[in-house]
Amino acid sequence: MTAQIKGKGPNRTLLAPWDENLVFRQGDRFIGESEIGPVPMSLVESPRIQNPEDPATQPFFRFLRFIDPQDTVKTVTLRAKESNLMNFVQERSRARNLGMNIVEVVGNLLATEFIIYYTAEGRVDFRELVKDIHANFRGRHELRQISPREHSALMDGLGPCGKPLCCSTFLKEFQSVSTRQARDFDPDMNPMKTTGMCGRLKCCLSFEKSAERQEKWVPVDNDPRGIPTGPALSPLATIA
């Protein structure tokens, strides 16, 4: 299955057991097991069955259960604690002139572990900031620096094409994009055409040419471009 935390990207792939009594629908809310424990999530794509012959990447999250009324109450409390923690870290980082941009705070359902995502121009010595956090909040807190691309993936949005960002939907890892690939797409290197929301070269530039090479077309009467005859898409191998 593909799901999101807090209703925004990046999409996470989950593993769920095959059970005829379990019915998943887009928009369902449930609890998934993550690196920091159980977290509330929402389903953004219907489940798909993976072909056993097609090796799959080990999912980072695992389906636990559908959300119940008690989980809903805990989620409301968790969101309040995440908001308070984010405001506090923003205020203390500014007071200490650390040059950090606090992007997002994600905690587990029990509000015992939190990941604080931030961006910065370089490395940040946040040892004193950690002391401030531990003096005012209980639990385990991890400060995790992310890149501009990861920032865009985390915050979600629409690209110039009008579709959700590749990084916050189907992309599982970032590939390097060269200026040569950008020039193949737009010889004038117009930033409006080649630059994504993250301020870097668009991720989609890295696979547009490869897609053209892999795809063969057969002309048909009503479409001069024809129909694709390239290799069929292989089915997924787990409920992903």
Side-chain angles (χ1 to χ4, degrees):
M1 296 183 294
T2 303
Q4 293 178 328
I5 299 176
K6 302 177 78 170
K8 51 190 174 184
N11 289 352
R12 272 81 170 189
T13 300
L14 291 96
L15 180 67
W18 175 258
D19 188 339
E20 294 181 355
N21 297 321
L22 283 176
V23 179
F24 298 97
R25 296 181 178 86
Q26 187 173 346
D28 282 347
R29 297 174 65 239
F30 54 88
I31 303 299
E33 182 67 32
S34 73
E35 59 180 320
I36 58 174
V39 293
M41 308 187 74
S42 56
L43 191 64
V44 295
E45 281 186 6
S46 299
R48 291 174 289 176
I49 306 300
Q50 187 178 0
N51 185 344
E53 298 178 358
D54 188 14
T57 302
Q58 183 65 27
F60 199 65
F61 289 76
R62 182 169 59 90
F63 171 82
L64 294 179
R65 64 180 183 276
F66 287 106
I67 277 185
D68 58 30
Q70 290 185 345
D71 292 330
T72 301
V73 173
K74 291 179 181 179
T75 300
V76 173
T77 302
L78 171 63
R79 295 293 177 253
K81 291 184 177 181
E82 289 172 337
S83 179
N84 291 337
L85 177 58
M86 183 169 181
N87 292 335
F88 177 83
V89 176
Q90 286 176 331
E91 187 276 326
R92 294 310 303 160
S93 64
R94 285 195 297 265
R96 293 188 177 278
N97 297 316
L98 296 179
M100 300 169 63
N101 174 33
I102 310 303
V103 176
E104 185 62 278
V105 175
V106 175
N108 63 18
L109 189 64
L110 302 177
T112 57
E113 293 191 37
F114 295 86
I115 298 178
I116 304 166
Y117 296 97
Y118 73 93
T119 59
E121 292 297 328
R123 298 188 64 178
V124 178
D125 182 0
F126 46 67
R127 287 175 291 183
E128 295 302 318
L129 177 61
V130 171
K131 294 179 182 178
D132 292 339
I133 295 173
H134 289 167
N136 290 271
F137 295 90
R138 294 182 178 180
R140 179 178 177 272
H141 303 85
E142 176 187 348
L143 286 153
R144 184 175 297 182
Q145 186 171 0
I146 58 177
S147 68
R149 292 185 186 275
E150 291 172 314
H151 183 188
S152 294
L154 188 63
M155 300 311 295
D156 211 347
L158 296 178
C161 60
K163 296 183 178 180
L165 298 177
C166 299
C167 57
S168 62
T169 51
F170 64 89
L171 281 185
K172 303 302 180 186
E173 58 183 15
F174 296 108
Q175 298 180 0
S176 60
V177 183
S178 67
T179 54
R180 181 176 181 178
Q181 291 171 315
R183 288 189 185 279
D184 288 341
F185 176 76
D186 180 28
D188 295 330
M189 288 289 287
N190 184 344
M192 296 295 291
K193 296 181 179 180
T194 59
T195 305
M197 290 184 63
C198 58
R200 304 294 191 269
L201 292 175
K202 292 179 181 177
C203 292
C204 58
L205 297 177
S206 65
F207 53 75
E208 282 196 357
K209 280 295 180 181
S210 61
E212 290 179 5
R213 288 195 298 268
Q214 293 176 4
E215 203 171 48
K216 297 179 180 179
W217 294 82
V218 176
V220 293
D221 294 338
N222 61 345
D223 187 348
R225 186 180 180 186
I227 56 175
T229 61
L233 293 176
S234 59
L236 295 178
T238 57
I239 299 181

